[in-house]
Amino acid sequence: MLKVSIYRYNPETDDKPYMQDFEFDTQGKDLMVLDVLEQLKGQDTTIAFRRSCREGVCGSDGLNMNGKNGLACITPLSETVKNNQLVIRPLPGLPVIRDLVVDMGMFYAQYEKVEPYLQNDNPPPAIERLQSPEDRAKLDGLYECILCACCSTSCPSFWWNPDRFIGPAGLLQSYRFLADSRDTATEARLAKLDDPFSVFRCHGIQNCVNVCPKGLNPTRAIGHIRNMLLTHAT
Amino acid sequence: MRTISFDGVIVGGGGAGMRAALQLAQSGYKTAVISKVFPTRSHTVSAQGGITCAIASSDPNDDWRWHMYDTVKGSDYIGDQDAIEYMCSVGPEAVFELEHMGLPFSRTEEGRIYQRPFGGQSKNFGEGGQAARTCAAADRTGHALLHTLYQGNMKNNTVFFNEWYATDIVKNQDGAVVGVIAISMETGETVYVKSKATVFATGGAGRIYASTTNAHINTGDGVGMALRAGFPVQDIEMWQFHPTGIHGAGVLVTEGCRGEGGYLINKDGERFMERYAPNAKDLASRDVVARSMVLEILEGRGCGPDGDHVYLKLDHLGEEVLHSRLPGICELSETFAHANPVKEPVPVVPTCHYMMGGIPTNVHGQALTVDANGNDAIIPGLYACGEVACVSVHGANRLGGNSLLDLVVFGRASGLHIEKALREGIELRDASETDIDEAMSRLNKLNNSTGGERVADLRKELQGVMQNHFGVFRNEKFMQEGIQKLSDLRGRIENAALEDKSQAFNTARIEALELHNLFEVAEATAITAEERKESRGAHARDDYQERDDENWLCHSMYFPGEKRVGKRGVNFTPKTVDTFQPKARTY
Amino acid sequence: MVTAVTSFGRSGLSDWLVQRVSGVILLAYFLFMGYAVATGGDYASWKALFAQTWVKVFSLMALLSLAAHAWIGLWSVLTDYLTERLMGTTGNVLRITLQILIVLVLFVYVVWGVQILWGY
């Protein structure tokens, strides 16, 4: 029997959070953590967590499993369980609404701050804007972000300054538009990033790279932003 | 209870809903999107292969009329030709708009949008061989599209009610739709969201089946609400089974795999589609491929220890193509099938994928019902677009890549029509206390419930019935048994337990409400499937194996009040091209 | 854009750049010092070394680098941990008090350093 320990907190009934233990029979299968949660919810309907696509593309079920952030739906037990134990907590650093559900408001606010939409004031042509495969390739590793917040909530700089440091997810998207050959707002975008917090709270410890379920590299993108700032300002 | 008022309210934050919202927000109307998940978590995000549209990139001579021909044929001739004409002709404009908004499409050497071949595509009205018409952003087109639309809405200040759940339609005394009741999941607050135009863009209901490519959230909320409000649904028996769901997990593997040159093999290593569809082979229409796979399995040529799936072979494409064109598939296959497509085939099986039926609408997204004389009648105040709607552009079988086109074209069309209607002034009578109480009745009943069975158990039972009795192949005896089981389930589901009555993020309450919707969709599917006594598109019957154009070249209409199945004529009068006459459908 | 008037150069990029450049200078200076200590012998040779102008300039450069480097680093630490978000008003009071204290200490060190280098 697998010992599953889940972070529980219901603001209406609990003074403070606690860990609840469950015995779980995997029947020898290498289930995903989300399958375990779904089955436990079948028994105890009060457990709250988010989930949607269950295939790692919607980004709903970012959780902290045995100390590491990841998506519950694509984390097999074999990858996370140690000593027959699975401890599931909400993503760290964000306020808990209930159980495993966190308030992602600050995370989304930072995403919005980078104006994550294409800006180009030239009138568009009758067909698509042309872009070479080489220019398009610059967006690979950037546009795939699913906004699951695994990266930003594993970043100490984001824990301390979620209101001022954009965080790895937001910065990855910031660079996605800086790198897009079709975007013409580069100067204005860079001007909004040159303060001591937005970008420069990244100290390059790469927790974000370590946990990204899509294998993206925000630290590298942040390095690119810094280089762009440097070449524009010197 | 608070009332919040908007010019336009869109229920559902997927591709269709956000495209409609964008249209309205751009023109300055007070627009709100109610979404039960943060919008980028909607199921559009899972669409992989692309958006089919004659933008003439891969083939400079491509013609939207060829696309129209393919779609009409794919629909097995019960797609409405005026709607298909609209979708295929307006499509390029809608796709270019997405590109201008920033959608990161893959590119050709000329810098244009990359297009790949998909099933059921042809040039020159079926005479010119395989076409490549599906515009792609690698194998993450849905993700790219959904995020682009969310970003576009952010830019245009659309109001989002994220993690709010719409429970029921509010109808006024004239039978017009004047908004919805919605719950904030975070706080449990219930409000009346009043609107001059209510757009349902709630997506599909694949979760009525045990094995589905659909997200957990695809619970048919729009169809459920419409049926409870007494509105009919159209062609709801038409469920697409996607040929390549990963065996065991149900996760989708895009048709783009076969578009890029992958093919299916049975346990003998035979490329069996050559027998079933000598010309199109693995790129025959989805219904054809899915049935062929099931026949292979039933005839003992399935793979694996239980012979219950077939293999999708991709390794011959080479690592470079797989990693550049199908990177997401490589990930999914490794995660869910423990198979690296570069080296080994992927175990796949037909899996419930798409609801062709839904709320009947015209090309402007206006929801329709049928009046006493059998004529179409517009339901005032209600629009539908995307998978929940049945315009109908997919008829009895949807072609791959047409769902994304459907949702942007008709999301946009709904927005355009509402803009026009708002400009001209919409006058709907206010809902009375009684009207609102009626819309609240289901939620009130659930909140006051005592006892009852577990939601998870009932859901599992429902999904089992649908899977076993209304799958790829159907017959009278089995379907009648299924209908019997469903009628036994109705009362039990209506009285399902809600032990946890708390307010803050109570997902148990939402799941109970979703189960009601799943049931409505399932029952409508079952009754209509039994009634359609022919085989057409995705609806394949052992006991009526032929298409019956004499009796069934028409839409089915399911009326929930009396649980009656009626018929509605298919549109055969496109505006600018000649009618495509029904003929035998071979690939 | 987040405004911060107490940061070293009022700009994230400039702080970042100063931090890197000062780091390199400090590294070079400490390597130089290490070498001097390892090979140098008595008081006389040590005094001769510091009598040369370029050593004085290099030392001053290192001293200024140290002050800038310390300020930028400690400012980051203070604005990470001592904030209104985490501690309420106490955070602000503590942070500003410590910032003033650090500035004073660094200023004293710089003046004292100049005095040492050119005063003897």
Side-chain angles (χ1 to χ4, degrees):
Chain A
M1 294 292 261
L2 176 69
K3 194 174 159 220
V4 185
S5 191
I6 299 180
Y7 179 100
R8 300 300 308 268
Y9 174 68
N10 180 340
E12 289 163 55
T13 51
D14 304 324
D15 293 332
K16 55 179 196 230
Y18 62 97
M19 299 302 291
Q20 186 181 5
D21 292 338
F22 296 87
E23 294 281 316
F24 185 86
D25 184 4
T26 60
Q27 298 175 325
K29 287 187 226 157
D30 188 15
L31 298 168
M32 298 294 175
V33 172
L34 180 63
D35 300 329
V36 174
L37 281 172
E38 286 285 347
Q39 287 189 36
L40 289 175
K41 189 171 173 67
Q43 298 160 26
D44 179 352
T45 59
T46 64
I47 307 171
F49 54 91
R50 294 187 174 104
R51 85 281 180 273
S52 174
C53 76
R54 63 83 170 84
E55 58 188 33
V57 297
C58 79
S60 297
D61 59 352
L63 292 172
N64 184 278
M65 295 161 285
N66 279 346
K68 189 177 174 188
N69 289 357
L71 297 178
C73 59
I74 53 168
T75 303
L77 292 177
S78 59
E79 204 172 90
T80 180
V81 169
K82 284 178 199 81
N83 303 324
N84 203 34
Q85 184 157 10
L86 175 62
V87 181
I88 309 177
R89 293 171 173 275
L91 289 176
L94 293 175
V96 173
I97 296 174
R98 172 174 175 168
D99 298 343
L100 302 174
V101 178
V102 290
D103 180 350
M104 309 248 302
M106 285 190 287
F107 173 78
Y108 294 136
Q110 293 298 350
Y111 171 63
E112 286 184 30
K113 218 190 247 179
V114 304
E115 301 177 11
Y117 36 80
L118 194 83
Q119 299 182 31
N120 185 330
D121 293 333
N122 305 321
I127 59 165
E128 68 269 39
R129 287 196 167 96
L130 300 183
Q131 184 175 48
S132 70
E134 294 72 38
D135 279 340
R136 168 59 183 77
K138 289 177 189 156
L139 308 183
D140 285 334
L142 305 171
Y143 82 95
E144 300 94 322
C145 173
I146 57 174
L147 300 178
C148 65
C150 286
C151 59
S152 292
T153 60
S154 69
C155 173
S157 285
F158 190 78
W159 295 341
W160 311 137
N161 283 298
D163 48 347
R164 297 189 284 187
F165 173 48
I166 289 170
L171 290 169
L172 189 80
Q173 288 319 294
S174 177
Y175 185 61
R176 179 246 173 277
F177 288 95
L178 286 167
D180 197 320
S181 61
R182 301 167 296 171
D183 190 278
T184 56
T186 308
E187 298 292 330
R189 289 181 186 281
L190 288 175
K192 287 174 190 147
L193 296 173
D194 183 25
D195 63 78
F197 286 98
S198 301
V199 176
F200 289 95
R201 273 302 144 120
C202 169
H203 300 307
I205 63 167
Q206 308 209 22
N207 276 12
C208 51
V209 183
N210 185 35
V211 297
C212 177
K214 305 311 285 181
L216 309 178
N217 190 328
T219 308
R220 189 162 55 210
I222 295 168
H224 287 308
I225 296 178
R226 212 160 40 211
N227 288 344
M228 286 181 87
L229 281 167
L230 202 58
T231 40
H232 275 72
T234 50
Chain B
M1 190 167 68
R2 273 203 299 156
T3 300
I4 314 176
S5 297
F6 290 93
D7 292 322
V9 161
I10 289 101
V11 184
M18 288 209 287
R19 186 63 190 82
L22 180 66
Q23 198 65 42
L24 284 178
Q26 276 173 340
S27 54
Y29 285 109
K30 204 178 159 201
T31 309
V33 174
I34 299 173
S35 178
K36 65 177 174 178
V37 291
F38 183 76
T40 64
R41 328 243 181 254
S42 307
H43 190 52
T44 305
V45 82
S46 294
Q48 299 170 354
I51 174 165
T52 304
C53 188
I55 59 159
S57 161
S58 152
D59 171 7
N61 299 316
D62 200 10
D63 192 320
W64 65 262
R65 293 164 193 88
W66 301 348
H67 179 199
M68 178 179 174
Y69 166 83
D70 293 340
T71 305
V72 172
K73 177 183 171 186
S75 79
D76 222 346
Y77 298 96
I78 61 163
D80 289 308
Q81 298 198 8
D82 59 339
I84 298 173
E85 176 190 35
Y86 180 80
M87 176 177 83
C88 296
S89 60
V90 172
E93 201 182 325
V95 169
F96 293 143
E97 279 170 4
L98 290 171
E99 195 282 333
H100 297 155
M101 244 182 269
L103 202 159
F105 281 112
S106 301
R107 299 288 170 158
T108 64
E109 285 304 320
E110 293 76 41
R112 295 210 57 194
I113 294 171
Y114 168 73
Q115 293 183 294
R116 61 161 56 108
F118 247 53
Q121 291 178 357
S122 75
K123 296 181 183 181
N124 198 17
F125 309 105
E127 306 292 324
Q130 177 73 41
R133 194 174 288 129
T134 301
C135 309
D139 56 359
R140 306 187 177 98
T141 318
H143 168 277
L145 184 147
L146 191 66
H147 281 251
T148 303
L149 283 173
Y150 180 63
Q151 293 161 354
N153 274 287
M154 191 192 294
K155 190 176 177 181
N156 287 284
N157 302 316
T158 304
V159 178
F160 282 98
F161 287 78
N162 292 334
E163 296 182 329
W164 282 64
Y165 182 70
T167 62
D168 272 298
I169 288 175
V170 178
K171 274 198 300 186
N172 69 11
Q173 291 155 54
D174 311 316
V177 174
V178 288
V180 290
I181 301 295
I183 314 177
S184 155
M185 290 165 68
E186 186 178 336
T187 64
E189 187 194 4
T190 307
V191 300
Y192 165 36
V193 185
K194 181 182 163 183
S195 178
K196 292 175 188 162
T198 305
V199 183
F200 273 13
T202 53
R207 285 278 153 180
I208 62 170
Y209 286 93
S211 171
T212 174
T213 64
N214 282 197
H216 284 287
I217 57 170
N218 288 26
T219 52
D221 299 330
V223 172
M225 285 188 273
L227 288 171
R228 269 193 304 277
F231 301 135
V233 289
Q234 176 173 286
D235 296 338
I236 196 73
E237 72 278 25
M238 298 299 179
W239 284 88
Q240 177 164 82
F241 287 80
H242 195 291
T244 54
I246 291 178
H247 173 250
V251 171
L252 173 71
V253 171
T254 175
E255 187 167 310
C257 292
R258 284 169 285 138
E260 298 288 347
Y263 55 84
L264 298 163
I265 53 175
N266 60 21
K267 75 168 184 193
D268 306 321
E270 184 206 3
R271 185 175 181 182
F272 58 85
M273 280 313 297
E274 289 178 331
R275 268 188 281 122
Y276 296 94
N279 297 317
K281 301 189 181 107
D282 296 83
L283 286 179
S285 182
R286 285 180 181 170
D287 56 333
V288 176
V289 180
R291 275 194 295 276
S292 309
M293 290 167 74
V294 173
L295 287 173
E296 286 298 301
I297 291 166
L298 291 176
E299 287 167 13
R301 290 188 293 277
C303 307
D306 300 324
D308 58 354
H309 56 274
V310 300
Y311 281 130
L312 172 64
K313 187 170 147 48
L314 294 167
D315 55 322
H316 58 286
L317 300 179
E319 192 164 352
E320 201 188 307
V321 170
L322 287 172
H323 284 162
S324 65
R325 298 282 186 221
L326 303 165
I329 294 309
C330 296
E331 263 177 57
L332 287 174
S333 174
E334 297 235 16
T335 308
F336 289 101
H338 304 295
N340 176 0
V342 175
K343 298 196 186 110
E344 52 206 324
V346 187
V348 292
V349 69
T351 306
C352 171
H353 183 56
Y354 189 84
M355 174 176 86
M356 267 79 71
I359 300 171
T361 71
N362 60 21
V363 293
H364 306 300
Q366 293 177 288
L368 303 173
T369 182
V370 176
D371 67 16
N373 304 320
N375 297 322
D376 288 353
I378 286 166
I379 302 170
L382 184 63
Y383 290 75
C385 54
E387 190 169 343
V388 67
C390 182
V391 186
S392 154
V393 286
H394 308 306
N397 171 65
R398 174 174 72 77
L399 292 186
N402 267 356
S403 58
L404 291 185
L405 186 64
D406 171 15
L407 61 84
V408 291
V409 166
F410 291 105
R412 181 176 176 272
S414 305
L416 286 168
H417 192 270
I418 295 169
E419 259 176 39
K420 184 164 157 278
L422 286 168
R423 251 197 322 273
E424 289 164 3
I426 298 176
E427 291 302 325
L428 294 173
R429 202 194 315 208
D430 275 349
S432 66
E433 281 291 302
T434 336
D435 298 333
I436 294 173
D437 286 348
E438 195 169 321
M440 283 290 297
S441 62
R442 178 172 71 114
L443 183 59
N444 287 337
K445 183 180 167 199
L446 181 69
N447 285 338
N448 296 320
S449 69
T450 49
E453 293 173 69
R454 278 175 193 280
V455 166
D457 297 343
L458 289 166
R459 186 173 54 212
K460 201 170 169 194
E461 195 175 329
L462 173 70
Q463 290 167 336
V465 171
M466 294 308 290
Q467 189 75 26
N468 295 330
H469 296 269
F470 302 92
V472 174
F473 285 105
R474 300 164 170 182
N475 70 54
E476 191 79 33
K477 178 171 162 284
F478 241 64
M479 285 196 285
Q480 278 174 353
E481 276 174 32
I483 292 171
Q484 194 51 47
K485 288 181 183 170
L486 288 178
S487 83
D488 162 60
L489 263 171
R490 176 173 273 278
R492 293 163 59 204
I493 285 179
E494 279 175 355
N495 295 314
L498 179 64
E499 287 156 21
D500 179 6
K501 304 280 201 298
S502 62
Q503 297 299 316
F505 226 98
N506 184 347
T507 50
R509 176 182 287 121
I510 303 297
E511 287 188 22
L513 294 165
E514 287 174 336
L515 179 62
H516 297 162
N517 293 328
L518 283 173
F519 181 81
E520 297 295 344
V521 181
E523 188 184 56
T525 299
I527 292 172
T528 320
E530 197 265 343
E531 192 74 21
R532 188 183 274 276
K533 293 187 171 45
E534 63 157 354
S535 289
R536 182 186 298 273
H539 180 63
R541 292 185 59 147
D542 300 333
D543 44 358
Y544 298 91
Q545 295 189 359
E546 297 302 315
R547 193 171 84 190
D548 177 4
D549 284 350
E550 204 169 306
N551 296 303
W552 284 103
L553 186 61
C554 61
H555 297 298
S556 68
M557 290 286 268
Y558 172 78
F559 296 90
E562 55 273 51
K563 295 192 181 172
R564 172 174 68 84
V565 179
K567 293 180 179 179
R568 177 171 171 252
V570 171
N571 181 294
F572 283 102
T573 51
K575 292 191 178 66
T576 62
V577 294
D578 292 338
T579 302
F580 293 104
Q581 296 296 344
K583 53 184 184 184
R585 187 164 159 263
T586 54
Y587 283 99
Chain C
M1 185 91 162
V2 181
T3 47
V5 292
T6 50
S7 82
F8 184 78
R10 314 284 184 276
S11 140
L13 179 67
S14 121
D15 282 11
W16 179 81
L17 200 59
V18 169
Q19 195 75 336
R20 262 70 200 161
V21 173
S22 60
V24 171
I25 292 170
L26 286 172
L27 181 68
Y29 189 74
F30 284 118
L31 286 176
F32 167 67
M33 275 290 112
Y35 176 77
V37 170
T39 57
D42 50 6
Y43 175 77
S45 63
W46 193 250
K47 196 172 176 189
L49 178 69
F50 274 87
Q52 304 173 77
T53 307
W54 74 268
V55 176
K56 291 184 187 192
V57 171
F58 191 16
S59 300
L60 179 65
M61 209 156 80
L63 187 59
L64 291 175
S65 293
L66 184 75
H69 201 86
W71 174 248
I72 293 171
L74 288 170
W75 183 83
S76 287
V77 172
L78 297 184
T79 50
D80 264 351
Y81 302 120
L82 304 179
T83 61
E84 190 171 356
R85 207 182 69 83
L86 293 176
M87 310 168 78
T89 321
T90 322
N92 292 337
V93 174
L94 265 177
R95 189 178 67 253
I96 292 163
T97 312
L98 283 171
Q99 282 177 351
I100 293 169
L101 212 65
I102 291 166
V103 168
L104 284 174
V105 169
L106 291 174
F107 179 74
V108 168
Y109 274 126
V110 170
V111 173
W112 189 16
V114 171
Q115 201 184 7
I116 291 169
L117 287 171
W118 273 276
Y120 292 94

